[in-house]
Amino acid sequence: MFTDTLSAASVRHPKPPNTTFAYGTAGFRTIGSLLDSTVFRVGVLASLRSAKVGGKTIGVMITASHNPPEDNGVKVVDPLGEMLPQQWEPYATQLANSDNLEDDVRDIVSRENIDVAQAGLVVVGMDTRETGPQLLRAAIDGIEVFGRAKSFGELTTPQLHYLVRSHNDPGFGESSEDGYNKKIVGAVEEILRLWNIQEPLEITVDAANGVGAPKLRNLSSNSIIITIVNSNTQDKSALNVECGADYVKTNQKLPSNLQPRDHQLYSSFDGDADRVVFYYADGPRFQLLDGDRIATLLASFLNKLLQQAKVEAKMGIIQTAYANGNSTRYIQETLQIPVDFTPTGVKHLHHKAQEYDIGLYFEANGHGTVLFSDDFIDSLKSAHSSLPEGKRALKTLILLTELINQTVGDSISDLFAVLLALRIQDKTCVEWGRDYTELPNKLFKVLVKDRFAFKTTDAERRLVEPAGVQAQIDALVAAYAQGRSFVRASGTENAVRVYSEAASAADCAELGARVCQLLEPY
């Protein structure tokens, strides 16, 4: 019986006292030194998940993304590179907090009617954090209670998603890191050839002192020249510190170690290379090109290709309440593309994007991708054009479905998609930045007695409870030109976030402060 094996392995990974863990969109995430038992138990869960889906390959990624260096985390990846289904998240939480692991594993096996003998391969990767190797060993111990483990060592999160998908779907690509590289570089070089572009794609990337640095180096070719700053993965204390996508986005400033030339495009990844933002300097002015702008650039580019190929497609952009109001207006009024809103969180955005032939979602923080439906890809492959321009556009669309990582936001593939969109359209980063003018916006945090008292509707843009507060917010917003504000509970601490937006920075700050005052009684 598995209980003996499980019991013997779990002794090596004791649960820390007085700690409670909760699995969410990002999996488990906390101080890395506290996670040994949790990662072991996630390994057990991953092998159970493999058994549940008939022995298909599952993934475990050990990362804390943009978090500080001392943090770490772990999440499970499903067979086609998707996140763990929401209905399985409580099982992860149950195991992580269990004081009787054998009984709780037996409970899940019974509830899900799992034949544990069906457990197959679980592939594992980690980012460059100091606690990564220890947690990798814990994951493997857990996986091997029921299944087989295969470690790929240091990977970007999107590479791990790619490996899971390619193990289960050989047509997706070669199931190795080299296969990922070939797929990316091959698509980029073929698109450049199609458009007779002789000059290489060239950019300087801030890699956040994370795993994106060595992985980017592996992609250099005659057609791709990347200069990397903040590439020190040996100094574990430097990860995401004064650099990286989250730092640049949050502080609206250049990362350390970057001396920019005016009007030249730069990019920043986060620690596990699933977020990307762009920016340029204009004298003393810093211009951020965030997830909203990535979405509008790629949507505009795809629209032009569809027109040239004379192919019809239902395309939509999915945003959250944090998207800048002027980006929404630009999409609807200038690009004339539908916009849908979902609650914050990639799982909500991804699900909604799947309703379109081409669904684009990019959170403002730079995490996102483009989804192409299987039916749409089939229609591209069977379409014909008698004109050279149409043939080229069709082929480019097909190659973009290969280049863009549709399983998860991928800094590397998104980087190349943006560079190609700019180069093919002969568009400068300054012109990109002038597509629309962002409304001034600001995010506030208010500590409250009970964050669960704040309930929202309309994709988190309106408060339902506490009763009457939304009407007060509406009255305040009405006093400001292009005013907008919403309140939503934090997912991690006893606080609420207040977002404000208005035509001027002064109005934006004042509106946000006044909404914060409304919350003082709570």
Side-chain angles (χ1 to χ4, degrees):
M1 190 63 180
F2 67 78
T3 51
D4 292 339
T5 308
L6 180 61
S7 178
S10 64
V11 167
R12 299 195 296 273
H13 305 282
K15 187 164 75 75
N18 306 316
T19 54
T20 303
F21 301 96
Y23 193 100
T25 300
F28 293 111
R29 197 174 289 183
T30 187
I31 302 296
S33 59
L34 297 176
L35 276 171
D36 185 82
S37 73
T38 299
V39 174
F40 166 76
R41 293 164 186 225
V42 166
V44 173
L45 185 77
S47 60
L48 289 177
R49 181 66 186 161
S50 174
K52 174 65 179 179
V53 295
K56 290 181 180 174
T57 299
I58 296 293
V60 170
M61 183 65 197
I62 298 164
T63 179
S65 188
H66 58 282
N67 280 36
E70 64 271 16
D71 287 358
N72 217 323
V74 62
K75 55 187 173 183
V76 179
V77 179
D78 240 29
L80 294 182
E82 326 98 299
M83 289 178 287
L84 183 70
Q86 207 163 344
Q87 60 268 32
W88 269 63
E89 291 179 6
Y91 294 149
T93 300
Q94 178 183 353
L95 292 188
N97 297 303
S98 175
D99 290 319
N100 193 329
L101 190 58
E102 291 87 348
D103 282 355
D104 279 310
V105 168
R106 198 179 289 109
D107 175 56
I108 295 168
V109 167
S110 174
R111 281 200 219 178
E112 292 291 331
N113 193 26
I114 296 171
D115 176 4
V116 296
Q118 290 285 306
L121 181 67
V122 179
V123 296
V124 194
M126 63 180 179
D127 67 16
T128 57
R129 291 167 192 272
E130 190 168 20
T131 51
Q134 170 201 338
L135 297 180
L136 185 75
R137 288 191 293 273
I140 290 170
D141 281 356
I143 293 161
E144 290 182 342
V145 170
F146 298 114
R148 294 177 293 115
K150 183 177 182 181
S151 169
F152 281 87
E154 291 182 356
L155 291 172
T156 70
T157 291
Q159 286 176 330
L160 189 277
H161 283 252
Y162 167 89
L163 287 167
V164 174
R165 173 74 180 264
S166 57
H167 270 83
N168 293 300
D169 176 8
F172 186 70
E174 182 187 315
S175 55
S176 66
E177 185 181 338
D178 191 46
Y180 170 92
N181 294 339
K182 287 177 185 174
K183 188 172 183 178
I184 294 275
V185 173
V188 169
E189 291 185 337
E190 182 60 24
I191 291 171
L192 291 173
R193 277 194 294 271
L194 272 174
W195 292 84
N196 196 29
I197 295 170
Q198 306 295 326
E199 292 295 313
L201 296 181
E202 195 166 354
I203 191 168
T204 296
V205 176
D206 153 35
N209 295 312
V211 70
K215 303 311 180 185
L216 269 175
R217 288 193 195 99
N218 293 339
L219 294 168
S220 292
S221 72
N222 291 334
S223 304
I224 299 168
I225 299 175
I226 300 171
T227 302
I228 306 171
V229 298
N230 298 316
S231 61
N232 184 1
T233 59
Q234 300 308 307
D235 181 358
K236 304 302 183 184
S237 67
L239 181 68
N240 294 319
V241 174
E242 295 188 353
C243 60
D246 193 61
Y247 174 84
V248 170
K249 166 67 178 169
T250 303
N251 295 285
Q252 300 276 310
K253 64 189 288 188
L254 294 166
S256 59
N257 303 315
L258 182 66
Q259 287 77 43
R261 292 169 53 194
D262 274 1
H263 304 162
Q264 183 166 313
L265 186 66
Y266 298 89
S267 177
S268 285
F269 290 3
D270 64 340
D272 67 331
D274 67 355
R275 293 183 180 188
V276 61
V277 296
F278 298 84
Y279 43 89
Y280 64 87
D282 185 2
R285 189 173 75 92
F286 169 83
Q287 174 65 59
L288 178 69
L289 302 159
D290 64 4
D292 293 334
R293 291 191 185 271
I294 296 171
T296 56
L297 174 71
L298 294 182
S300 175
F301 179 46
L302 289 166
N303 236 351
K304 288 174 182 174
L305 292 172
L306 290 169
Q307 289 165 11
Q308 290 172 1
K310 293 185 167 46
V311 171
E312 291 188 5
K314 181 185 175 188
M315 180 157 59
I317 293 179
I318 322 301
Q319 294 189 319
T320 71
Y322 290 107
N324 194 274
N326 273 355
S327 76
T328 308
R329 291 186 189 92
Y330 176 75
I331 295 163
Q332 293 173 323
E333 296 171 11
T334 303
L335 299 182
Q336 298 191 324
I337 295 172
V339 177
D340 284 321
F341 283 87
T342 73
T344 304
V346 170
K347 60 188 173 188
H348 303 295
L349 291 154
H350 196 90
H351 181 71
K352 192 68 181 176
Q354 288 173 324
E355 296 178 11
Y356 289 89
D357 295 327
I358 304 175
L360 300 92
Y361 70 85
F362 281 87
E363 293 181 289
N365 61 28
H367 188 233
T369 189
V370 184
L371 302 185
F372 302 90
S373 74
D374 290 341
D375 287 346
F376 175 69
I377 293 172
D378 288 343
S379 73
L380 286 179
K381 290 177 178 176
S382 62
H384 299 282
S385 176
S386 58
L387 299 173
E389 178 188 74
K391 290 178 181 176
R392 183 175 63 179
L394 272 174
K395 183 64 175 170
T396 303
L397 285 165
I398 292 168
L399 286 165
L400 287 172
T401 70
E402 294 288 318
L403 170 65
I404 295 171
N405 191 334
Q406 295 177 60
T407 62
V408 69
D410 184 339
S411 303
I412 292 172
S413 70
D414 290 342
L415 173 78
F416 291 128
V418 164
L419 293 178
L420 288 166
L422 292 171
R423 181 68 64 86
I424 289 170
Q425 295 179 103
D426 197 24
K427 187 170 189 169
T428 67
C429 58
V430 176
E431 289 167 338
W432 180 17
R434 289 175 182 162
D435 280 345
Y436 60 86
T437 301
E438 283 196 343
L439 289 170
N441 58 90
K442 192 168 184 180
L443 191 61
F444 302 79
K445 181 172 81 171
V446 181
L447 299 178
V448 293
K449 297 184 187 77
D450 179 15
R451 74 181 191 266
F452 298 107
F454 292 80
K455 296 181 169 56
T456 61
T457 188
D458 190 21
E460 301 179 318
R461 292 180 291 179
R462 297 186 66 78
L463 277 178
V464 177
E465 295 178 16
V469 175
Q470 186 60 53
Q472 294 175 286
I473 294 172
D474 290 343
L476 289 175
V477 166
Y480 297 89
Q482 295 184 281
R484 184 167 72 94
S485 183
F486 65 87
V487 175
R488 64 180 287 272
S490 167
T492 56
E493 56 185 324
N494 217 23
V496 295
R497 311 292 183 192
V498 174
Y499 177 91
S500 70
E501 192 175 89
S504 73
D507 281 357
C508 169
E510 185 177 287
L511 171 59
R514 292 179 70 183
V515 173
C516 289
Q517 286 175 352
L518 287 180
L519 305 179
E520 286 177 359
Y522 303 95

